[in-house]
Amino acid sequence: MESLKQDLELLYELQIYDIKIDDVRKKVDQAPLLIEEKNEVLFVKKAVVDATRQHFVEMSSLKKEKEALLDSKEKAINKYVLELNTVKSNNVYKALLLEIEKSKADKTVVEDEILELMDRIDGEAVKVKVSEDELKMIENKIKNDIREIELSAKKLEEEIIKIEKEREDHKLKIDKSVLLHYERLRKGRSGQGIALIDQDSCSGCGMALRPQLINQAQKGLDLVFCDNCSRILLKK
Ligand SMILES: [Zn+2]
């Protein structure tokens, strides 16, 4: 029966379409994952920029606190100076002078702290700017990358539709019962329901085949299945 062999040859060609469709489908299925990875990179970068901004804000408010403290020290000194003019007792006068000296010393410390903070704030401002610029660049790049991934997924989808159409046309040439066997066997066998006999082994699972099976397949009178993986066997 030459026609069964022909059917099997056609079936084997059909399987090439199926393998191609599965391959392309796998690539399409990867797209959301790739996009997620890109967004994850962006998310982490944004968190770094936020932390830098936060640090800048914290230092700025610390500077404001120090400035308020400085202001209160200055007011205290002015108050003591005014009091100096009104006191009668020598001891109180001396005590006031001491307070003034102490407050002035405190004021110097706070002034130094403010100066140091200002330097650090300048440094932080540069860091914020640099990281914001970097983020903008990365954001643009990632947006482009995602667009490309989506575009290529769309092209692959179109390719699948094209191959599926060719497959449908090809399918019409094959005997329906042979086709039915194949479709049933495809499931759970990496989408492959037919295997070539490669020397004396099944190319689907690699198991050595009984000579009798090879013989039967060669004759092509009936469907022959691999003892191990149950795929339809084709001897070219
Ligand atoms: Zn096998």
Side-chain angles (χ1 to χ4, degrees), residues 195 201-207 209 225-231 233:
S201 300
C202 164
S203 66
C205 67
M207 276 294 264
L209 297 163
F225 304 94
C226 170
D227 285 335
N228 183 51
C229 71
S230 305
R231 287 187 177 95
L233 293 170

Side-chain angles (χ1 to χ4, degrees), residues 4-5 17 19 28 39 41 51 57 82 97 108 130 135 149 159 165 167 175 215-216 226 229:
L4 178 62
K5 269 207 135 174
Y17 285 114
I19 291 170
V28 172
N39 280 328
V41 171
V57 169
L82 280 177
L97 278 182
T108 307
V130 167
L135 177 65
I149 293 168
E159 198 184 328
K165 174 142 191 350
R167 183 197 190 271
D175 176 79
N215 212 9
Q216 280 179 336
C226 170
C229 71

